């Protein structure tokens, strides 16, 4: 655990960022796994076109331009327009594994990748050691921040939200 940048008061446990250590073989496996999963999602057009974050050849500039193209015509006609944004605190730490696996099933991800992801998420534990005292905790959700798979799995979890049907003209 390391203190988050810019934090002076370190007595609150939420002020710490966990460090996830993984051996080289595990990192290679993670990288191969997420590359194959995302290849499937791109090949089958399973990822919503409005998915910009952590997406190949898209950036926040693309997202801003998309919003601008969507919002300018109604504004020019004098139509009231509302923009809302969402910042999810502890997003990677709260990623729901069942939702990720459901997203893989719904995208008809190849079984070998589905089962490997299921095993990747299974039986995880966190060990914290302070002053020669160790504490272990079973992990049942989340993606380690900075992991190779974290951003891709987060997009898979978020994608159904972008596909919700809206009654009024809406862009997600």
């Amino acid at each position: 655990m390391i203190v988050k940048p810019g934090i002076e008061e370190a007595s609150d446990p939420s002020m710490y960022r966990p460090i996830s250590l993984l051996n080289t073989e595990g990192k290679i496996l993670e990288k191969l796994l997420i590359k194959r999963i995302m290849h499937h999602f791109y090949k089958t057009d399973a990822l919503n076109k409005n998915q910009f974050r952590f997406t190949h050849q898209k950036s926040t500039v693309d997202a801003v331009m998309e919003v601008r193209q969507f919002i300018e015509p109604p504004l020019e006609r004098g139509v009231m327009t509302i923009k809302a944004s969402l910042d999810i605190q502890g997003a990677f730490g709260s990623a729901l594994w069942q939702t990720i696996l459901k997203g893989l099933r719904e995208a008809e991800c190849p079984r070998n990748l589905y089962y490997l992801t299921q095993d990747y998420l299974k039986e995880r534990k966190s060990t914290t050691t302070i002053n020669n005292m160790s504490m272990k905790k079973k992990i049942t959700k989340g993606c380690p921040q900075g992991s190779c798979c974290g951003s891709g799995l987060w997009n898979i979890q978020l994608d159904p939200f972008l596909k919700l049907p809206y009654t009024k003209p809406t862009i997600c």
Side-chain angles (χ1 to χ4, degrees):
M1 302 284 248
I2 57 172
V3 179
K4 291 180 182 178
I7 304 296
E8 294 176 19
E9 178 57 45
S11 61
D12 181 1
S14 68
M15 299 297 129
Y16 288 85
R17 177 175 290 151
I19 300 171
S20 181
L21 302 176
L22 189 61
N23 62 23
T24 302
E25 294 83 2
K27 289 179 184 179
I28 292 169
L29 177 63
E30 265 194 352
K31 192 73 142 181
L32 290 171
L33 173 63
I34 200 62
K35 283 207 173 277
R36 295 302 307 153
I37 288 172
M38 296 318 292
H39 173 75
H40 171 76
F41 270 76
Y42 291 127
K43 184 178 82 174
T44 60
D45 247 356
L47 216 55
N48 188 291
K49 69 177 183 68
N50 290 323
Q51 182 75 265
F52 290 93
R53 185 75 172 163
F54 308 118
T55 305
H56 184 64
Q57 294 186 338
K58 287 189 177 181
S59 71
T60 52
V61 173
D62 296 315
V64 168
M65 294 305 293
E66 186 77 23
V67 169
R68 183 177 175 197
Q69 288 175 353
F70 181 81
I71 208 169
E72 277 184 345
L75 284 176
E76 288 171 359
R77 293 190 315 269
V79 174
M80 184 186 302
T81 308
I82 299 172
K83 179 192 172 287
S85 61
L86 182 64
D87 182 16
I88 302 170
Q89 183 177 0
F92 284 95
S94 62
L96 300 173
W97 295 350
Q98 292 304 333
T99 306
I100 293 166
L101 293 172
K102 181 181 179 199
L104 292 173
R105 282 191 306 274
E106 289 176 355
E108 298 178 0
C109 194
R111 282 191 311 201
N112 63 327
L113 298 175
Y114 175 84
Y115 289 131
L116 187 55
T117 304
Q118 190 175 41
D119 285 345
Y120 168 80
L121 298 173
K122 193 186 303 180
E123 297 179 26
R124 291 189 159 232
K125 63 181 175 245
S126 170
T127 305
T128 303
T129 305
I130 300 173
N131 296 334
N132 295 326
M133 285 184 56
S134 290
M135 186 172 84
K136 291 184 181 184
K137 181 182 178 193
K138 184 179 178 182
I139 305 295
T140 58
K141 64 180 181 175
C143 296
Q145 195 167 6
S147 72
C148 299
C149 285
S151 56
L153 295 178
W154 175 252
N155 279 355
I156 291 167
Q157 175 186 269
L158 181 67
D159 205 59
F161 175 74
L162 298 173
K163 295 175 180 172
L164 288 173
Y166 293 96
T167 57
K168 302 280 184 196
T170 306
I171 186 171
C172 286

